[in-house]
Amino acid sequence: MLSEIFDEEYTEVNNSAPHWIAFVNVVRQLRKQCPWDRKQTHASLRHLLIEEAYETIEALDSEDMQELRIELGDLLLQIVMHSVIAEETNQFDLAGVVSAVTDKMVRRHPHVFGDIAVSGVEEVLQNWESLKASERQGASVLSGVPASLPALLCAYRMQEKAASVGFDFPDQESTWAKVEEEIQEFKVAASDAERENELGDLLFALVNYARKNQINPEDALRGTNRRFRNRLAYVEACVPNMKAADLEELDLHWEKSKDLVGD
């Protein structure tokens, strides 16, 4: 099937084949001869996979293409390492990983590789979720959202999934009304446990409002965190002993940082 889909337009991929083969062979050799690489397991590499993913995101956020090139390589190393470990115990191999994701991309893009017509992005997403649900044969609509995701992103993805099957607020106004309702409930919460629960509900409602406005809350908060880090660094440079300064002086430098320090 793939030979019918791909033509000479994609032959430049062949130029990278020797580099790809060499890279995979390097990983296999490391597994055989390097004491550290040899002792690694799927479990022991989990934290490195997470770290490399976040470092890749940091390179994306900074728009540093040279750093992104490096971090994508480090992330690819983790993927190949896990595949080689599985290959050693005949669970699956790298070819199987690539083949499976290729088949999935073709299958879930019938508007590209088939005869389905779509009107735009929304219909593409609807088709994707419909095809995904049919493949999972009755699994929960939320089964594809890892519980280990950062909490804001997890909330966002769960809400997207729920909306894909019609469980959603009808408009932006109703989602904001829910935010205001949760603010009031948070204000009157009587105990620490209740305040924690209500704060969680409030954050969840804000995520929903963000989603309705086509804002990814994880990206939005990461941007705010980055600005805070940069601006506080400016204040620290202006006032080395911040503890000895009064709040008025610190706030003055903070306001200046907004004009002088970029995102």
Side-chain angles (χ1 to χ4, degrees):
M1 179 181 179
L2 294 181
S3 61
E4 299 172 0
I5 294 173
F6 301 124
D7 54 26
E8 64 276 2
E9 180 182 352
Y10 299 93
T11 56
E12 66 268 18
V13 174
N14 292 330
N15 296 329
S16 64
H19 302 284
W20 172 250
I21 293 170
F23 175 61
V24 175
N25 285 336
V26 164
V27 176
R28 287 174 175 152
Q29 194 72 10
L30 289 173
R31 284 287 295 173
K32 292 177 181 177
Q33 296 186 351
C34 174
W36 186 90
D37 288 282
R38 193 167 56 239
K39 71 180 289 189
Q40 299 311 309
T41 65
H42 290 305
S44 70
L45 291 170
R46 287 172 68 249
H47 74 286
L48 290 178
L49 181 59
I50 294 169
E51 287 176 21
E52 297 300 351
Y54 277 111
E55 288 178 7
T56 303
I57 290 172
E58 191 169 324
L60 283 168
D61 287 345
S62 65
E63 298 182 354
D64 186 336
M65 292 301 103
Q66 290 304 311
E67 188 64 21
L68 177 60
R69 177 179 63 85
I70 293 170
E71 295 303 340
L72 285 172
D74 291 343
L75 186 57
L76 180 60
L77 172 60
Q78 294 302 310
I79 295 169
V80 173
M81 181 69 83
H82 280 283
S83 299
V84 169
I85 291 173
E87 177 184 88
E88 293 167 355
T89 53
N90 297 316
Q91 295 171 314
F92 59 83
D93 59 17
L94 191 57
V97 172
V98 175
S99 176
V101 73
T102 302
D103 289 344
K104 181 166 67 175
M105 290 301 99
V106 172
R107 187 171 64 251
R108 292 191 185 174
H109 290 81
H111 55 287
V112 176
F113 302 110
D115 54 4
I116 301 296
V118 294
S119 58
V121 173
E122 288 301 318
E123 198 167 343
V124 170
L125 294 176
Q126 290 172 6
N127 288 345
W128 176 279
E129 292 298 338
S130 177
L131 289 165
K132 190 173 181 178
S134 65
E135 291 168 10
R136 298 196 171 190
Q137 298 182 347
S140 168
V141 69
L142 301 181
S143 61
V145 182
S148 57
L149 280 176
L152 279 181
L153 182 57
C154 185
Y156 180 76
R157 293 291 291 134
M158 288 195 299
Q159 291 169 6
E160 276 191 325
K161 295 289 187 180
S164 73
V165 294
F167 190 65
D168 195 11
F169 285 91
D171 48 44
Q172 293 179 7
E173 290 74 18
S174 57
T175 57
W176 183 251
K178 184 62 175 176
V179 171
E180 293 180 324
E181 175 188 324
E182 296 298 347
I183 289 173
Q184 294 306 313
E185 292 182 4
F186 175 71
K187 286 181 176 179
V188 299
S191 66
D192 289 345
E194 191 177 352
R195 277 190 290 273
E196 181 176 338
N197 288 339
E198 294 300 341
L199 181 60
D201 291 346
L202 174 56
L203 290 172
F204 196 85
L206 282 168
V207 169
N208 217 9
Y209 183 73
R211 180 181 60 83
K212 281 292 190 180
N213 284 275
Q214 289 78 53
I215 299 170
N216 185 312
E218 186 74 22
D219 293 341
L221 184 57
R222 193 164 58 246
T224 296
N225 289 345
R226 184 173 61 251
R227 289 190 294 274
F228 183 84
R229 182 189 299 272
N230 292 339
R231 291 170 183 173
L232 190 64
Y234 173 84
V235 176
E236 288 177 318
C238 294
V239 188
N241 188 3
M242 290 179 62
K243 287 185 177 181
D246 58 47
L247 185 57
E248 184 177 354
E249 180 186 1
L250 296 177
D251 194 53
L252 177 65
H253 291 294
W254 176 265
E255 291 301 319
K256 286 182 180 180
S257 75
K258 293 180 181 180
D259 297 324
L260 298 174
V261 180
D263 288 349

